[in-house]
Amino acid sequence: MNLNGYRKAAEKGDAETQYQLAECYYNGQGVEEDYTEAIKWYSKAAKQGFKIAKEVLDIIGEEY
């Protein structure tokens, strides 16, 4: 899936895709690194119970 596909699915509320989009922003994959945007998408996924997103936020010290 390309970045536009990730964004569309993430905006529709798919938690796994929200996590993947966050990873893209966090690691600068296909986009410029943007930690604020990454945390936004990690948080959305975590609020839906996506465990890995919660773990990442715990590691980087952000609340969701």
Side-chain angles (χ1 to χ4, degrees):
M1 185 180 300
N2 65 29
L3 192 61
N4 287 331
Y6 277 138
R7 180 172 301 284
K8 286 180 184 180
E11 288 172 351
K12 289 182 180 181
D14 181 79
E16 184 172 354
T17 307
Q18 290 169 339
Y19 170 78
Q20 293 297 330
L21 185 58
E23 287 283 283
C24 290
Y25 280 108
Y26 194 82
N27 296 303
Q29 297 171 330
V31 293
E32 192 170 322
E33 284 182 0
D34 185 335
Y35 297 126
T36 301
E37 193 70 9
I39 290 167
K40 171 183 132 179
W41 289 108
Y42 283 134
S43 295
K44 287 179 180 280
K47 285 178 184 174
Q48 293 190 75
F50 199 76
K51 184 178 177 183
I52 299 170
K54 289 180 183 182
E55 292 170 357
V56 170
L57 288 170
D58 286 345
I59 290 168
I60 61 177
E62 293 291 331
E63 294 187 30
Y64 53 90

Short mmCIF file of all heavy atoms in Angstrom, two decimals:
data_model
loop_
_atom_site.label_atom_id
_atom_site.label_comp_id
_atom_site.label_asym_id
_atom_site.label_seq_id
_atom_site.Cartn_x
_atom_site.Cartn_y
_atom_site.Cartn_z
N MET A 1 0.85 -1.18 0.00
CA MET A 1 0.00 0.00 0.00
C MET A 1 0.90 1.24 0.00
O MET A 1 1.88 1.30 0.73
CB MET A 1 -0.89 -0.02 1.26
CG MET A 1 -1.90 1.10 1.29
SD MET A 1 -2.96 1.11 2.78
CE MET A 1 -3.77 -0.46 2.67
N ASN A 2 0.55 2.22 -0.82
CA ASN A 2 1.33 3.45 -0.84
C ASN A 2 0.87 4.39 0.28
O ASN A 2 -0.11 4.13 0.96
CB ASN A 2 1.25 4.13 -2.20
CG ASN A 2 -0.14 4.61 -2.55
OD1 ASN A 2 -0.93 4.95 -1.68
ND2 ASN A 2 -0.43 4.65 -3.83
N LEU A 3 1.59 5.49 0.44
CA LEU A 3 1.30 6.40 1.55
C LEU A 3 -0.11 6.97 1.46
O LEU A 3 -0.79 7.10 2.48
CB LEU A 3 2.33 7.51 1.59
CG LEU A 3 2.31 8.37 2.84
CD1 LEU A 3 2.60 7.53 4.07
CD2 LEU A 3 3.30 9.50 2.73
N ASN A 4 -0.58 7.29 0.26
CA ASN A 4 -1.95 7.80 0.12
C ASN A 4 -2.97 6.76 0.54
O ASN A 4 -3.98 7.07 1.15
CB ASN A 4 -2.22 8.27 -1.31
CG ASN A 4 -1.52 9.57 -1.63
OD1 ASN A 4 -1.28 10.39 -0.76
ND2 ASN A 4 -1.18 9.75 -2.90
N GLY A 5 -2.69 5.51 0.20
CA GLY A 5 -3.57 4.42 0.61
C GLY A 5 -3.59 4.27 2.13
O GLY A 5 -4.64 4.05 2.72
N TYR A 6 -2.41 4.38 2.75
CA TYR A 6 -2.33 4.33 4.22
C TYR A 6 -3.16 5.45 4.83
O TYR A 6 -3.93 5.24 5.75
CB TYR A 6 -0.89 4.47 4.71
CG TYR A 6 -0.06 3.21 4.71
CD1 TYR A 6 1.26 3.24 4.28
CD2 TYR A 6 -0.57 2.00 5.15
CE1 TYR A 6 2.04 2.10 4.29
CE2 TYR A 6 0.20 0.86 5.16
CZ TYR A 6 1.50 0.91 4.73
OH TYR A 6 2.27 -0.22 4.75
N ARG A 7 -2.98 6.64 4.30
CA ARG A 7 -3.68 7.79 4.87
C ARG A 7 -5.20 7.62 4.77
O ARG A 7 -5.92 7.85 5.73
CB ARG A 7 -3.26 9.09 4.18
CG ARG A 7 -3.96 10.31 4.75
CD ARG A 7 -3.43 11.60 4.23
NE ARG A 7 -2.02 11.80 4.48
CZ ARG A 7 -1.51 12.14 5.68
NH1 ARG A 7 -2.28 12.29 6.72
NH2 ARG A 7 -0.22 12.31 5.80
N LYS A 8 -5.68 7.18 3.61
CA LYS A 8 -7.13 7.00 3.43
C LYS A 8 -7.68 5.96 4.41
O LYS A 8 -8.71 6.19 5.05
CB LYS A 8 -7.45 6.60 2.00
CG LYS A 8 -7.32 7.74 1.02
CD LYS A 8 -7.63 7.29 -0.39
CE LYS A 8 -7.40 8.43 -1.36
NZ LYS A 8 -7.70 8.02 -2.73
N ALA A 9 -7.00 4.84 4.54
CA ALA A 9 -7.45 3.79 5.45
C ALA A 9 -7.35 4.26 6.90
O ALA A 9 -8.23 3.99 7.72
CB ALA A 9 -6.66 2.51 5.25
N ALA A 10 -6.27 4.98 7.23
CA ALA A 10 -6.08 5.48 8.58
C ALA A 10 -7.17 6.48 8.95
O ALA A 10 -7.71 6.45 10.06
CB ALA A 10 -4.70 6.13 8.72
N GLU A 11 -7.50 7.35 8.03
CA GLU A 11 -8.55 8.34 8.28
C GLU A 11 -9.92 7.70 8.46
O GLU A 11 -10.78 8.26 9.13
CB GLU A 11 -8.58 9.37 7.15
CG GLU A 11 -7.38 10.30 7.18
CD GLU A 11 -7.25 11.22 5.98
OE1 GLU A 11 -8.00 11.04 5.00
OE2 GLU A 11 -6.40 12.13 6.03
N LYS A 12 -10.10 6.51 7.89
CA LYS A 12 -11.36 5.77 8.06
C LYS A 12 -11.40 5.01 9.37
O LYS A 12 -12.39 4.40 9.71
CB LYS A 12 -11.58 4.81 6.89
CG LYS A 12 -11.92 5.53 5.60
CD LYS A 12 -12.17 4.55 4.48
CE LYS A 12 -12.51 5.29 3.21
NZ LYS A 12 -12.77 4.38 2.10
N GLY A 13 -10.28 5.03 10.12
CA GLY A 13 -10.27 4.45 11.45
C GLY A 13 -9.63 3.08 11.58
O GLY A 13 -9.76 2.44 12.61
N ASP A 14 -8.91 2.62 10.56
CA ASP A 14 -8.25 1.32 10.64
C ASP A 14 -7.01 1.43 11.54
O ASP A 14 -6.04 2.10 11.19
CB ASP A 14 -7.86 0.83 9.25
CG ASP A 14 -7.21 -0.53 9.30
OD1 ASP A 14 -7.95 -1.52 9.42
OD2 ASP A 14 -5.96 -0.61 9.25
N ALA A 15 -7.06 0.81 12.70
CA ALA A 15 -6.00 0.96 13.70
C ALA A 15 -4.64 0.46 13.22
O ALA A 15 -3.62 1.10 13.46
CB ALA A 15 -6.39 0.24 15.00
N GLU A 16 -4.62 -0.66 12.53
CA GLU A 16 -3.33 -1.19 12.06
C GLU A 16 -2.70 -0.23 11.05
O GLU A 16 -1.49 0.03 11.07
CB GLU A 16 -3.49 -2.57 11.44
CG GLU A 16 -2.16 -3.17 11.03
CD GLU A 16 -2.26 -4.61 10.59
OE1 GLU A 16 -3.33 -5.22 10.68
OE2 GLU A 16 -1.21 -5.13 10.15
N THR A 17 -3.53 0.33 10.19
CA THR A 17 -3.02 1.28 9.21
C THR A 17 -2.60 2.59 9.87
O THR A 17 -1.62 3.21 9.46
CB THR A 17 -4.06 1.53 8.11
OG1 THR A 17 -4.47 0.27 7.57
CG2 THR A 17 -3.49 2.38 6.99
N GLN A 18 -3.30 3.00 10.90
CA GLN A 18 -2.89 4.18 11.66
C GLN A 18 -1.50 3.97 12.24
O GLN A 18 -0.64 4.86 12.19
CB GLN A 18 -3.89 4.49 12.77
CG GLN A 18 -5.21 4.98 12.25
CD GLN A 18 -6.29 5.04 13.31
OE1 GLN A 18 -6.21 4.38 14.36
NE2 GLN A 18 -7.33 5.81 13.04
N TYR A 19 -1.27 2.78 12.75
CA TYR A 19 0.05 2.44 13.28
C TYR A 19 1.10 2.48 12.17
O TYR A 19 2.18 3.05 12.35
CB TYR A 19 0.02 1.05 13.94
CG TYR A 19 1.39 0.55 14.27
CD1 TYR A 19 2.07 1.02 15.38
CD2 TYR A 19 2.03 -0.38 13.45
CE1 TYR A 19 3.35 0.59 15.68
CE2 TYR A 19 3.31 -0.82 13.73
CZ TYR A 19 3.96 -0.34 14.86
OH TYR A 19 5.24 -0.76 15.14
N GLN A 20 0.80 1.89 11.02
CA GLN A 20 1.75 1.87 9.91
C GLN A 20 2.07 3.28 9.42
O GLN A 20 3.22 3.59 9.11
CB GLN A 20 1.22 1.01 8.76
CG GLN A 20 1.13 -0.46 9.08
CD GLN A 20 2.48 -1.09 9.38
OE1 GLN A 20 3.52 -0.67 8.88
NE2 GLN A 20 2.48 -2.10 10.22
N LEU A 21 1.05 4.13 9.36
CA LEU A 21 1.26 5.52 8.95
C LEU A 21 2.15 6.24 9.97
O LEU A 21 3.05 7.00 9.60
CB LEU A 21 -0.08 6.23 8.78
CG LEU A 21 -0.04 7.65 8.24
CD1 LEU A 21 0.65 7.70 6.87
CD2 LEU A 21 -1.45 8.22 8.16
N ALA A 22 1.91 5.99 11.24
CA ALA A 22 2.75 6.56 12.29
C ALA A 22 4.20 6.14 12.11
O ALA A 22 5.12 6.95 12.24
CB ALA A 22 2.24 6.14 13.67
N GLU A 23 4.42 4.88 11.79
CA GLU A 23 5.77 4.38 11.55
C GLU A 23 6.44 5.12 10.39
O GLU A 23 7.62 5.44 10.46
CB GLU A 23 5.74 2.87 11.25
CG GLU A 23 5.45 2.01 12.46
CD GLU A 23 6.67 1.87 13.35
OE1 GLU A 23 7.59 1.11 13.00
OE2 GLU A 23 6.71 2.55 14.40
N CYS A 24 5.67 5.36 9.34
CA CYS A 24 6.21 6.10 8.20
C CYS A 24 6.69 7.48 8.63
O CYS A 24 7.80 7.90 8.27
CB CYS A 24 5.16 6.24 7.10
SG CYS A 24 4.77 4.70 6.25
N TYR A 25 5.87 8.18 9.40
CA TYR A 25 6.26 9.51 9.87
C TYR A 25 7.42 9.44 10.86
O TYR A 25 8.31 10.27 10.83
CB TYR A 25 5.07 10.24 10.49
CG TYR A 25 4.17 10.86 9.46
CD1 TYR A 25 2.92 10.32 9.20
CD2 TYR A 25 4.57 11.97 8.73
CE1 TYR A 25 2.09 10.88 8.25
CE2 TYR A 25 3.75 12.53 7.77
CZ TYR A 25 2.51 11.99 7.53
OH TYR A 25 1.70 12.54 6.58
N TYR A 26 7.39 8.47 11.74
CA TYR A 26 8.43 8.37 12.76
C TYR A 26 9.79 8.08 12.13
O TYR A 26 10.81 8.61 12.56
CB TYR A 26 8.07 7.30 13.79
CG TYR A 26 8.92 7.37 15.02
CD1 TYR A 26 8.62 8.27 16.03
CD2 TYR A 26 10.02 6.54 15.19
CE1 TYR A 26 9.41 8.35 17.18
CE2 TYR A 26 10.80 6.61 16.33
CZ TYR A 26 10.49 7.52 17.32
OH TYR A 26 11.27 7.61 18.44
N ASN A 27 9.80 7.22 11.13
CA ASN A 27 11.06 6.78 10.52
C ASN A 27 11.41 7.49 9.22
O ASN A 27 12.43 7.19 8.61
CB ASN A 27 11.01 5.27 10.27
CG ASN A 27 10.91 4.51 11.57
OD1 ASN A 27 11.75 4.65 12.44
ND2 ASN A 27 9.86 3.71 11.70
N GLY A 28 10.55 8.39 8.77
CA GLY A 28 10.81 9.10 7.53
C GLY A 28 10.76 8.21 6.30
O GLY A 28 11.55 8.34 5.39
N GLN A 29 9.82 7.27 6.29
CA GLN A 29 9.67 6.35 5.17
C GLN A 29 8.61 6.89 4.21
O GLN A 29 7.41 6.84 4.49
CB GLN A 29 9.25 4.96 5.65
CG GLN A 29 10.28 4.32 6.53
CD GLN A 29 9.78 3.04 7.17
OE1 GLN A 29 8.59 2.89 7.44
NE2 GLN A 29 10.69 2.12 7.43
N GLY A 30 9.06 7.44 3.08
CA GLY A 30 8.13 7.98 2.09
C GLY A 30 7.68 9.40 2.40
O GLY A 30 7.00 10.02 1.59
N VAL A 31 8.01 9.90 3.58
CA VAL A 31 7.70 11.27 4.01
C VAL A 31 8.86 11.77 4.85
O VAL A 31 9.68 10.99 5.31
CB VAL A 31 6.40 11.34 4.86
CG1 VAL A 31 5.18 11.00 4.05
CG2 VAL A 31 6.49 10.46 6.09
N GLU A 32 8.89 13.07 5.06
CA GLU A 32 9.89 13.63 5.96
C GLU A 32 9.53 13.23 7.39
O GLU A 32 8.35 13.15 7.74
CB GLU A 32 9.88 15.15 5.83
CG GLU A 32 11.05 15.80 6.50
CD GLU A 32 11.17 17.28 6.15
OE1 GLU A 32 10.90 17.63 4.99
OE2 GLU A 32 11.54 18.04 7.06
N GLU A 33 10.55 12.95 8.21
CA GLU A 33 10.28 12.63 9.62
C GLU A 33 9.44 13.72 10.25
O GLU A 33 9.72 14.91 10.07
CB GLU A 33 11.58 12.49 10.40
CG GLU A 33 12.32 11.22 10.15
CD GLU A 33 13.59 11.12 10.99
OE1 GLU A 33 13.90 12.04 11.77
OE2 GLU A 33 14.27 10.11 10.84
N ASP A 34 8.41 13.30 10.97
CA ASP A 34 7.52 14.26 11.64
C ASP A 34 7.00 13.56 12.89
O ASP A 34 6.03 12.82 12.84
CB ASP A 34 6.39 14.67 10.72
CG ASP A 34 5.49 15.75 11.30
OD1 ASP A 34 5.43 15.87 12.55
OD2 ASP A 34 4.84 16.46 10.51
N TYR A 35 7.68 13.80 14.02
CA TYR A 35 7.33 13.10 15.25
C TYR A 35 5.95 13.50 15.77
O TYR A 35 5.24 12.68 16.33
CB TYR A 35 8.41 13.31 16.31
CG TYR A 35 9.74 12.73 15.91
CD1 TYR A 35 10.89 13.50 15.91
CD2 TYR A 35 9.85 11.41 15.50
CE1 TYR A 35 12.12 12.96 15.52
CE2 TYR A 35 11.06 10.87 15.10
CZ TYR A 35 12.18 11.65 15.12
OH TYR A 35 13.38 11.11 14.73
N THR A 36 5.56 14.74 15.55
CA THR A 36 4.24 15.18 15.99
C THR A 36 3.16 14.41 15.25
O THR A 36 2.19 13.92 15.85
CB THR A 36 4.07 16.70 15.76
OG1 THR A 36 5.09 17.39 16.49
CG2 THR A 36 2.71 17.18 16.20
N GLU A 37 3.32 14.27 13.95
CA GLU A 37 2.35 13.53 13.14
C GLU A 37 2.39 12.04 13.51
O GLU A 37 1.34 11.39 13.58
CB GLU A 37 2.65 13.74 11.65
CG GLU A 37 1.57 13.30 10.73
CD GLU A 37 0.31 14.16 10.75
OE1 GLU A 37 0.29 15.25 11.36
OE2 GLU A 37 -0.68 13.73 10.13
N ALA A 38 3.58 11.52 13.77
CA ALA A 38 3.70 10.12 14.16
C ALA A 38 2.95 9.87 15.47
O ALA A 38 2.17 8.90 15.57
CB ALA A 38 5.17 9.74 14.32
N ILE A 39 3.15 10.72 16.44
CA ILE A 39 2.48 10.54 17.74
C ILE A 39 0.97 10.64 17.58
O ILE A 39 0.22 9.89 18.21
CB ILE A 39 3.04 11.54 18.77
CG1 ILE A 39 4.47 11.13 19.12
CG2 ILE A 39 2.17 11.60 20.02
CD1 ILE A 39 5.25 12.17 19.88
N LYS A 40 0.51 11.53 16.72
CA LYS A 40 -0.93 11.65 16.46
C LYS A 40 -1.51 10.31 16.00
O LYS A 40 -2.52 9.85 16.52
CB LYS A 40 -1.17 12.73 15.39
CG LYS A 40 -2.59 12.81 14.89
CD LYS A 40 -2.68 13.86 13.77
CE LYS A 40 -3.41 13.30 12.60
NZ LYS A 40 -3.54 14.29 11.51
N TRP A 41 -0.83 9.68 15.03
CA TRP A 41 -1.35 8.42 14.49
C TRP A 41 -1.13 7.24 15.44
O TRP A 41 -1.99 6.36 15.55
CB TRP A 41 -0.75 8.16 13.11
CG TRP A 41 -1.32 9.12 12.11
CD1 TRP A 41 -0.68 10.17 11.52
CD2 TRP A 41 -2.66 9.15 11.62
NE1 TRP A 41 -1.54 10.85 10.70
CE2 TRP A 41 -2.76 10.24 10.73
CE3 TRP A 41 -3.79 8.37 11.84
CZ2 TRP A 41 -3.94 10.57 10.07
CZ3 TRP A 41 -4.97 8.69 11.17
CH2 TRP A 41 -5.04 9.77 10.30
N TYR A 42 -0.01 7.21 16.16
CA TYR A 42 0.18 6.18 17.19
C TYR A 42 -0.95 6.29 18.22
O TYR A 42 -1.51 5.28 18.65
CB TYR A 42 1.52 6.35 17.93
CG TYR A 42 2.75 5.89 17.20
CD1 TYR A 42 3.88 6.72 17.18
CD2 TYR A 42 2.84 4.64 16.60
CE1 TYR A 42 5.04 6.30 16.55
CE2 TYR A 42 4.00 4.24 15.97
CZ TYR A 42 5.10 5.07 15.94
OH TYR A 42 6.26 4.64 15.33
N SER A 43 -1.28 7.50 18.62
CA SER A 43 -2.31 7.72 19.63
C SER A 43 -3.67 7.25 19.15
O SER A 43 -4.42 6.63 19.91
CB SER A 43 -2.38 9.20 20.02
OG SER A 43 -1.19 9.59 20.65
N LYS A 44 -3.99 7.54 17.91
CA LYS A 44 -5.29 7.09 17.36
C LYS A 44 -5.38 5.57 17.38
O LYS A 44 -6.40 5.01 17.75
CB LYS A 44 -5.48 7.63 15.95
CG LYS A 44 -5.79 9.12 15.90
CD LYS A 44 -5.95 9.58 14.46
CE LYS A 44 -6.26 11.05 14.38
NZ LYS A 44 -7.66 11.35 14.66
N ALA A 45 -4.29 4.91 16.99
CA ALA A 45 -4.28 3.45 16.99
C ALA A 45 -4.36 2.90 18.41
O ALA A 45 -5.10 1.95 18.69
CB ALA A 45 -3.03 2.93 16.29
N ALA A 46 -3.63 3.52 19.32
CA ALA A 46 -3.62 3.07 20.72
C ALA A 46 -5.00 3.21 21.36
O ALA A 46 -5.43 2.33 22.10
CB ALA A 46 -2.59 3.86 21.52
N LYS A 47 -5.69 4.29 21.05
CA LYS A 47 -7.03 4.50 21.61
C LYS A 47 -8.01 3.42 21.17
O LYS A 47 -9.00 3.17 21.84
CB LYS A 47 -7.56 5.87 21.21
CG LYS A 47 -6.90 6.99 21.99
CD LYS A 47 -7.40 8.35 21.54
CE LYS A 47 -6.66 9.45 22.27
NZ LYS A 47 -7.01 10.78 21.78
N GLN A 48 -7.71 2.78 20.05
CA GLN A 48 -8.55 1.68 19.57
C GLN A 48 -8.08 0.33 20.10
O GLN A 48 -8.61 -0.71 19.71
CB GLN A 48 -8.55 1.67 18.04
CG GLN A 48 -9.22 2.88 17.45
CD GLN A 48 -9.41 2.72 15.98
OE1 GLN A 48 -10.29 1.97 15.55
NE2 GLN A 48 -8.58 3.37 15.20
N GLY A 49 -7.06 0.36 20.94
CA GLY A 49 -6.59 -0.88 21.54
C GLY A 49 -5.48 -1.58 20.78
O GLY A 49 -5.17 -2.74 21.07
N PHE A 50 -4.88 -0.90 19.81
CA PHE A 50 -3.78 -1.52 19.06
C PHE A 50 -2.55 -1.58 19.95
O PHE A 50 -1.90 -0.56 20.21
CB PHE A 50 -3.52 -0.74 17.77
CG PHE A 50 -2.76 -1.52 16.74
CD1 PHE A 50 -3.38 -2.50 15.99
CD2 PHE A 50 -1.42 -1.28 16.52
CE1 PHE A 50 -2.67 -3.23 15.04
CE2 PHE A 50 -0.70 -2.00 15.59
CZ PHE A 50 -1.33 -2.97 14.84
N LYS A 51 -2.24 -2.76 20.40
CA LYS A 51 -1.24 -2.98 21.45
C LYS A 51 0.14 -2.43 21.10
O LYS A 51 0.80 -1.80 21.94
CB LYS A 51 -1.15 -4.48 21.77
CG LYS A 51 -0.22 -4.80 22.91
CD LYS A 51 -0.22 -6.29 23.19
CE LYS A 51 0.78 -6.59 24.30
NZ LYS A 51 0.88 -8.01 24.57
N ILE A 52 0.61 -2.68 19.90
CA ILE A 52 1.96 -2.23 19.53
C ILE A 52 2.05 -0.71 19.58
O ILE A 52 3.06 -0.16 20.02
CB ILE A 52 2.35 -2.77 18.14
CG1 ILE A 52 2.36 -4.29 18.15
CG2 ILE A 52 3.72 -2.24 17.72
CD1 ILE A 52 2.49 -4.93 16.78
N ALA A 53 1.00 -0.02 19.17
CA ALA A 53 1.00 1.44 19.23
C ALA A 53 1.11 1.92 20.67
O ALA A 53 1.84 2.86 20.97
CB ALA A 53 -0.25 2.00 18.56
N LYS A 54 0.40 1.25 21.56
CA LYS A 54 0.49 1.59 22.99
C LYS A 54 1.92 1.40 23.50
O LYS A 54 2.44 2.23 24.23
CB LYS A 54 -0.45 0.71 23.82
CG LYS A 54 -1.91 1.02 23.63
CD LYS A 54 -2.74 0.09 24.50
CE LYS A 54 -4.22 0.31 24.30
NZ LYS A 54 -5.03 -0.56 25.16
N GLU A 55 2.54 0.29 23.10
CA GLU A 55 3.90 -0.01 23.54
C GLU A 55 4.89 1.04 23.03
O GLU A 55 5.77 1.47 23.77
CB GLU A 55 4.31 -1.40 23.07
CG GLU A 55 3.54 -2.50 23.78
CD GLU A 55 3.75 -3.88 23.18
OE1 GLU A 55 4.46 -4.02 22.15
OE2 GLU A 55 3.18 -4.83 23.74
N VAL A 56 4.72 1.46 21.78
CA VAL A 56 5.61 2.48 21.22
C VAL A 56 5.45 3.78 21.99
O VAL A 56 6.44 4.43 22.35
CB VAL A 56 5.33 2.70 19.71
CG1 VAL A 56 6.08 3.93 19.19
CG2 VAL A 56 5.73 1.47 18.91
N LEU A 57 4.23 4.18 22.26
CA LEU A 57 3.99 5.42 23.01
C LEU A 57 4.59 5.32 24.40
O LEU A 57 5.15 6.31 24.91
CB LEU A 57 2.50 5.74 23.08
CG LEU A 57 1.89 6.21 21.76
CD1 LEU A 57 0.37 6.28 21.88
CD2 LEU A 57 2.45 7.54 21.32
N ASP A 58 4.51 4.16 25.02
CA ASP A 58 5.14 3.97 26.34
C ASP A 58 6.65 4.16 26.25
O ASP A 58 7.26 4.78 27.10
CB ASP A 58 4.82 2.59 26.90
CG ASP A 58 3.38 2.46 27.39
OD1 ASP A 58 2.71 3.49 27.58
OD2 ASP A 58 2.93 1.30 27.57
N ILE A 59 7.24 3.61 25.21
CA ILE A 59 8.69 3.68 25.02
C ILE A 59 9.14 5.12 24.79
O ILE A 59 10.13 5.57 25.37
CB ILE A 59 9.15 2.77 23.87
CG1 ILE A 59 9.00 1.31 24.28
CG2 ILE A 59 10.59 3.07 23.46
CD1 ILE A 59 9.15 0.32 23.13
N ILE A 60 8.39 5.85 23.98
CA ILE A 60 8.82 7.22 23.68
C ILE A 60 8.28 8.23 24.68
O ILE A 60 8.57 9.42 24.60
CB ILE A 60 8.48 7.63 22.22
CG1 ILE A 60 6.98 7.58 21.96
CG2 ILE A 60 9.26 6.80 21.24
CD1 ILE A 60 6.59 8.05 20.56
N GLY A 61 7.52 7.74 25.65
CA GLY A 61 7.09 8.59 26.75
C GLY A 61 5.93 9.50 26.45
O GLY A 61 5.83 10.59 27.00
N GLU A 62 5.04 9.08 25.58
CA GLU A 62 3.85 9.87 25.24
C GLU A 62 2.60 9.19 25.75
O GLU A 62 2.52 7.97 25.82
CB GLU A 62 3.73 10.04 23.72
CG GLU A 62 4.82 10.87 23.11
CD GLU A 62 4.76 12.33 23.49
OE1 GLU A 62 3.65 12.85 23.75
OE2 GLU A 62 5.83 12.96 23.52
N GLU A 63 1.62 9.99 26.12
CA GLU A 63 0.32 9.46 26.51
C GLU A 63 -0.61 9.43 25.33
O GLU A 63 -0.46 10.22 24.41
CB GLU A 63 -0.27 10.32 27.63
CG GLU A 63 0.53 10.25 28.91
CD GLU A 63 -0.14 10.98 30.05
OE1 GLU A 63 -1.38 11.04 30.07
OE2 GLU A 63 0.59 11.49 30.89
N TYR A 64 -1.57 8.54 25.37
CA TYR A 64 -2.53 8.46 24.25
C TYR A 64 -3.91 8.76 24.74
O TYR A 64 -4.23 8.88 25.85
CB TYR A 64 -2.47 7.09 23.57
CG TYR A 64 -2.61 5.91 24.49
CD1 TYR A 64 -3.85 5.38 24.78
CD2 TYR A 64 -1.50 5.34 25.09
CE1 TYR A 64 -3.98 4.30 25.64
CE2 TYR A 64 -1.61 4.26 25.94
CZ TYR A 64 -2.85 3.74 26.21
OH TYR A 64 -2.96 2.67 27.03
#
